[in-house]
Amino acid sequence: MVLAVSKTDNEDAVDFRGNPVDKSKTGGWLAAGLILGTELSERICVMGISMNLVTYLVGELNLSSSKSANTVTNFMGALNILALFGGFLADAKLGRYLTIAIFASICAVGVTLLTLATTLSSMKPPHCNNRIKQHCIEASGSQLAMLYLALYTIALGGGGIKSNVSGFGSDQFDISNPKEEKAMVYFFNRFYFCISLGSLFAVTVLVYIQDNVGRGWGYGISAGTMIIAVIVLICGTAKYRFKKPQGSPLTVIWRVVFLAIKNRNHPYPANPCFLNEYGNSKVPHTTKFRSLDKAAILIDYANSDQNRNNPWLVSTVTQVEEVKMVISLIPIWSTCILFWTVYSQMNTFTIEQATIMNRKVANFSIPAGSFSVFLFISILLFTSLNESVIVRLARKITHDPKGLRSLQRVGIGLVLSVIGMVASAIVEKKRRETHQNEMKKLSAFWLVPQFFLVGAGEAFAYVGQLEFFIREAPERMKSMSTGLFLSTLAMGYFMSSVLVTLTDMATNGSWLTNDLNKGKLENFYWLLAILGAINFLVFLVLASRHRYKVQNFNGDRNDENKDIENWKISNTEMVDDVEAKKTAIEA
């Protein structure tokens, strides 16, 4: 889910023919609704796969628990990291509409391949009823090849959709128009509701169909849904407002770093006012990461009106400071990763636990993957409570009109994730003891607390992280900051794969066994809880040192200009010398 708000107006918006838009015939709710259908379909596909894939890998492909968990987390990690690629492609070349249309088609191809991979008998090993005794034949490399091809094709397509849908949807509203600006706020509320609705449908209806009717039917419905979404998106082409690609901010970052390295041997100017476009900077100059200032040094060949505007010869102070702002986000970014490592357990080992617990209600057996519904119910519940109750209460306690700041939300989410892992460890130990001592299955509803706690954590952490990365990023780098946020999800899933592999190696497979009744999964949960607690302490230190971005630079600019003038008065000879050299070079 990406809630990236475009703060530019619609003066540069064009229709599909490239002409200035007729706002009475384009954009608005109709166009935004057609775009939302693509994200709804992507959610149905991805959640329907990720929340129940582990049961297929373990139960039908006979893979080990650790390998199955890593397959799921690597898939989700790839999907989120590829959102950076999709965002870059849209910003640099294709634009959001064309990127969404292409990548949605790729996603549809991927789900179609997955349908075939899970339906064809040649793609699966012989059926085995004796998996607990580890006498089953695992799927071969050739049988897994088509599965992996399908999964990573879906990851590529989903990443391109995820990074652009919300931005393209917001492009359909003109924020210079008060009525449309108000409608855009509702658009994001409905966007969140839409993807949550898709997730709930996936973990209930689709998971039930996969388990009780057939994987082919479940994934086939997902493929059909995505194909319909592509058709609907294309049919609405005449109704959309388009914005031309403005170039990727990743290029700006690369140029600044490149020039700073290139000019590393040049001395710093006597005063920062001699840096390129210092007086016209849109961002206040800072002394942190001072080495990057060398990218804006006006050395001889760059000190002319023509070359000064060549970004490959010299950067501006604005560009340098924007890169500094992005680098300042990295420490907080690093402490957000472990939350998503914890979250990833909700669609791997927790689902495996549910498969060997009592899931019956009356005569109906709930699919293991459908227990994820408690995760999404918790997310929706606490998202609603955040604004209506928690924020209002926080305002009274802190006397801060914002109630909870973004980093405070993240901190609450991190604490809840730690508590969630403690609850997971306690429940798993009780489950194994119940099985060993009484030879009966513990009710799967004992898993609800960990789903509930981690879901509540996401309601705080997701919103807090998204707000932090969008608010604290440079104005011209909002889309990239959203991609940076998504990369924490990706790294969290990849971190889970690494931890599972290392734990398996360190314990000789005694913790994470194919038969969870003979393993010690609770120890892995305790490990995550301890790592989460340490991570939270590091987060507190970094968050206490972080200074929120100055939102109004005008006042600071006046003070800074006064300082510059005072410096020039006291260094008249040096200033005159620099001006003389500049005149000579230009001549």
Side-chain angles (χ1 to χ4, degrees), residues 17-66:
R17 292 189 177 92
N19 301 319
V21 294
D22 181 347
K23 295 180 181 179
S24 64
K25 297 181 180 179
T26 61
W29 276 112
L30 176 59
L34 297 176
I35 296 166
L36 276 179
T38 309
E39 178 62 13
L40 174 63
S41 300
E42 186 267 341
R43 284 290 86 191
I44 289 174
C45 290
V46 171
M47 299 310 297
I49 293 167
S50 64
M51 288 298 179
N52 202 36
L53 180 61
V54 71
T55 61
Y56 175 76
L57 298 173
V58 173
E60 296 192 41
L61 298 189
N62 304 326
L63 301 184
S64 66
S65 296
S66 57

Side-chain angles (χ1 to χ4, degrees), residues 386-404 409:
N386 268 341
E387 299 304 322
S388 60
V389 179
I390 299 172
V391 171
R392 292 182 181 179
L393 183 62
R395 284 173 185 161
K396 293 181 180 179
I397 296 174
T398 63
H399 304 291
D400 187 336
K402 295 181 181 299
L404 289 175
R409 293 176 187 266

Side-chain angles (χ1 to χ4, degrees), residues 3 76 256 289 507 551 557:
L3 309 181
M76 292 299 293
V256 169
F289 309 121
T507 63
Q551 299 300 316
R557 169 64 68 199

Side-chain angles (χ1 to χ4, degrees), residues 137-257:
I137 300 174
E138 284 193 6
S140 65
S142 59
Q143 290 173 327
L144 291 173
M146 186 171 181
L147 176 73
Y148 290 152
L149 175 63
L151 288 177
Y152 288 103
T153 302
I154 295 168
L156 176 62
I161 297 169
K162 185 184 288 289
S163 56
N164 291 290
V165 166
S166 63
F168 188 45
S170 68
D171 288 345
Q172 309 312 308
F173 302 94
D174 182 2
I175 64 171
S176 64
N177 182 320
K179 185 177 180 180
E180 289 200 24
E181 182 182 19
K182 184 177 180 181
M184 189 172 71
V185 174
Y186 287 109
F187 163 74
F188 285 112
N189 289 335
R190 293 174 189 180
F191 178 89
Y192 186 84
F193 177 80
C194 190
I195 63 174
S196 299
L197 189 66
S199 299
L200 285 173
F201 175 80
V203 301
T204 52
V205 178
L206 279 186
V207 167
Y208 177 82
I209 292 173
Q210 291 167 15
D211 283 359
N212 294 277
V213 181
R215 294 275 170 172
W217 281 100
Y219 295 143
I221 292 173
S222 296
T225 302
M226 184 55 69
I227 291 170
I228 292 172
V230 173
I231 294 172
V232 169
L233 177 74
I234 295 174
C235 287
T237 301
K239 296 292 183 181
Y240 302 138
R241 297 173 185 174
F242 302 86
K243 291 188 178 180
K244 296 179 180 179
Q246 300 297 315
S248 174
L250 291 175
T251 307
V252 176
I253 295 174
W254 157 245
R255 283 198 298 245
V256 169
V257 174

Side-chain angles (χ1 to χ4, degrees), residues 376-386 388 452 459:
F376 297 109
I377 289 174
S378 177
I379 292 169
L380 291 173
L381 174 63
F382 276 90
T383 301
S384 301
L385 290 176
N386 268 341
S388 60
F452 191 81

